[in-house]
Amino acid sequence: MLFVCFNTALLAQNITKKANWIRPEVVSGQQTWGIHNGIVFSLWPNGVETADQGTGGPRGLIRVGYEYMGKVYLINFIAIEPVVDGKIEFSEISPSNVDGKWGKLLWTGDNETTDSYNPINSRGIISHPDGNKPEIEQLSLYVFTEQFLNGANPYLKLSIRSDRPEEICFEIHNKENSAKMDRCALTATMGNYSRLRLLHLNNETIDSRKLYSGYSGIDFIEKEAYSASTFLKLKDGSPIVFTTSNESFSELSSWPNDSVYYTKRNWKYRPLCKLTQYWRKDNMGYNPSLEVRVNGRAKYWSGGTKDTSQYVNIPGGPAFENFELREKYYPGQKFYYGLTIKTADELLKQ
């Protein structure tokens, strides 16, 4: 199965015909965008998985999935975490200014002028970003959020290129009324779902089971971040950091045959192949403050309750949960998040 999955997607990467985009048929349609045989994203209340029309939560997150054989699978969530005067705020738990519930409302637009929450979404703009390669298309739209309690008011431009169908570019800006941000991290928040345990750096591979050895609590656990000097680099010099599961596909897709895990089957890995996840920066222009940060969990998240009976161990041991790049904020900074069936070694050889 894995061999078939790899070759199907690799073939898709090499096709330069007109891109086959996924986007709303009308501006009031389901809020899902992406590219066939590649990366897909959606906003609350719409789910990203095929036939998932949304369950009402969690808000304040960008759902990111991957399409394989005509079906989209949820892989991760991207949260927005602005820091002002050293105070961090989390988009998925920060209360809404509209109804006071957890999770900032997110909405889209075709340009930067959208100022307030509007559930009528953008279809996305198709452009040709490379004048030397007119066959390449790009799907772009803006994602806005309510202003944060710490005064931050960031907004994002999301883009997918047809020649990089497994990657989203996140470009961060701020509204004029925004407080000055120290940084605005975009964090992939659900690494436990893919049981990501290996963080690939240029001179070592960090194993979450060793890094968090002996920890069995219900909370997050965190060690030091890793500076840009530890990053791997693509052939063009772009710094990149990968996370992968240590398990085979058959191990990853299995689930404990135990009654205590029955109510946690939403954590069972559903895609039909393993995926490498990564963050990267362009080869020029990144700030010296750039670093990669991860934290881990030994037990699956269970809504924040302190009742330990509501938690179950992650099969195989502690895994990375949050995975992000951190960099001093500057308007227009770009972070690239990718999902690919290629291994880290295969990507580095491209």
Side-chain angles (χ1 to χ4, degrees), residues 123-287:
R123 293 196 67 220
I125 301 297
I126 303 297
S127 62
H128 297 269
D130 190 336
N132 295 321
K133 298 179 179 179
E135 73 278 6
I136 294 175
E137 294 183 351
Q138 178 173 277
L139 173 67
S140 300
L141 55 87
Y142 290 89
V143 172
F144 303 92
T145 180
E146 301 174 71
Q147 188 163 18
F148 286 78
L149 298 178
N150 63 13
N153 199 352
Y155 65 95
L156 314 174
K157 181 180 180 181
L158 275 61
S159 302
I160 302 172
R161 287 172 56 120
S162 60
D163 60 336
R164 301 190 72 96
E166 297 181 314
E167 179 181 274
I168 300 175
C169 172
F170 292 90
E171 184 176 323
I172 309 176
H173 299 270
N174 61 274
K175 290 289 187 178
E176 289 185 0
N177 66 344
S178 177
K180 184 179 180 181
M181 294 185 287
D182 304 334
R183 70 169 183 269
C184 187
L186 302 174
T187 180
T189 68
M190 199 174 67
N192 288 172
Y193 174 64
S194 299
R195 304 211 285 262
L196 301 175
R197 295 196 176 94
L198 303 179
L199 178 68
H200 301 265
L201 303 175
N202 62 12
N203 59 357
E204 64 178 325
T205 298
I206 307 298
D207 189 321
S208 62
R209 297 165 299 174
K210 295 179 181 179
L211 187 65
Y212 308 132
S213 177
Y215 179 72
S216 60
I218 65 172
D219 298 314
F220 293 98
I221 181 171
E222 187 162 357
K223 302 289 185 178
E224 73 279 357
Y226 302 92
S227 70
S229 64
T230 68
F231 290 17
L232 291 159
K233 290 190 175 181
L234 298 176
K235 285 185 176 181
D236 67 358
S238 300
I240 190 168
V241 182
F242 304 93
T243 54
T244 60
S245 174
N246 66 301
E247 300 177 66
S248 68
F249 173 72
S250 60
E251 292 170 329
L252 181 60
S253 59
S254 66
W255 193 244
N257 185 20
D258 188 314
S259 60
V260 72
Y261 284 87
Y262 180 78
T263 60
K264 304 295 182 181
R265 286 186 64 85
N266 58 303
W267 284 104
K268 183 180 183 298
Y269 188 77
R270 295 180 292 277
L272 298 180
C273 54
K274 289 177 61 175
L275 291 164
T276 296
Q277 300 186 37
Y278 68 82
W279 285 102
R280 74 170 183 90
K281 292 284 291 183
D282 286 321
N283 62 348
M284 297 179 63
Y286 59 89
N287 189 277

